[in-house]
Amino acid sequence: MSKAMIAMSGGVDSSVSAALMLEKGFDCIGVTMKLYAKPDYIEDTTGKTCCSLDDVEDARAVAQKLGMPYYVFNFQEDFSQEVIDRFVDAYENGATPNPCIDCNRYLKFDRLYKRAKVLGCDKIVTGHYARTEQREDGRFLLKKAKNTAKDQSYVLYFLSQEQLAHICFPLGEYESKEEIRSIAEKYGFVNAHKGDSQDICFVPDGDYVSFIEHYTGKTYPCGNFCDREGNVLGEHKGVIGYTIGQRKGLGIALGKPVYVCGKCVETNTVYLGGNEELFSRELTAKNINLIPFDRIEGSMRLSAKIRYNQKEQPCTVVQTDDDTIKITFDEPQRAITKGQAVVLYDGDIVVGGGVIV
């Protein structure tokens, strides 16, 4: 009997994934990664983050109901190094990170994947909305979920062939969240109607500047707001506190709407401009991963997303070296942001992606 490790967050999606794998005849074990202990100074009033004590208890209750062994693995040190340190480093270098992608990449599909192999598990299973498929030539593909409203393929673009060969996403074939909740109800799961987690688990109050200052023990100096010509418009409160496209919370009145259009860490300057200055047709991405093939030859017509909730946009992609792609969009895109992921699609197939530089 094949053995599967179910990554259980305490939510309804991973719980139903466990039930579906048991129905398929897998010998399953449930595991939750303990990633982060919330400091006292952070208040979570939303109840929508993952990794809480309640989540562990919900996951344990589901595993018990399904008769599965259940373990909690302490990966706090790994999480601090691979997710939080990268998060802080990105902001300090003028980028806007995506910590959920880093958590998937370095924790769920690296540390946990390696632990699964040690424990003799053939499959690692998560509640992500995505699909995998093996081509006739043996190569594995990553595809969008049938439930396009819930599709999470964007945060999985980095998966390798070896990982895809051993990963299972049971929810990818379902077309609605209601179907998932009804399966959870059928099993009598305690979390059948639990809300989805939405916030960054280590910044549940959304105040990432305060988090970074506490975490690093640093304060970030004020500097100048400038326009593109270098004219000083006012004073900002620290360059890490601003993201490309931001309009609210600038604390400056210029008699017209202005947006963050750029940042320079070296001079501690935040550049402001009109909405029209946010549009660009080109971007360069590094740290790339390609899934259906090893390299893009010549130029390819694809579509791309520059943020999670965006609809894919038609573009032309050229690979300029082993780790770099250049993308030219048919139409200018708003607020292309350094540090975010760009993910390439060919229909419902994920071609790959990289980090915008």
Side-chain angles (χ1 to χ4, degrees), residues 289-324:
N289 181 59
L290 299 171
I291 297 173
F293 36 73
D294 295 328
R295 189 178 178 92
I296 294 173
E297 302 294 347
S299 65
M300 276 192 85
R301 289 291 296 166
L302 297 167
S303 58
K305 288 169 72 162
I306 58 170
R307 57 183 63 87
Y308 183 74
N309 288 320
Q310 185 195 32
K311 188 177 184 297
E312 303 106 69
Q313 301 296 314
C315 62
T316 300
V317 185
V318 177
Q319 185 167 348
T320 55
D321 64 34
D322 286 348
D323 200 36
T324 310

Side-chain angles (χ1 to χ4, degrees), residues 11 21 74 81 145 153 309 336 350:
M21 292 302 285
N74 188 344
Q81 287 176 2
S153 58
N309 288 320
I336 296 174
V350 180

Side-chain angles (χ1 to χ4, degrees), residues 188-202:
F189 291 161
V190 294
N191 54 12
H193 295 283
K194 187 175 182 176
D196 295 338
S197 60
Q198 292 174 352
D199 300 300
I200 299 171
C201 62
F202 54 93

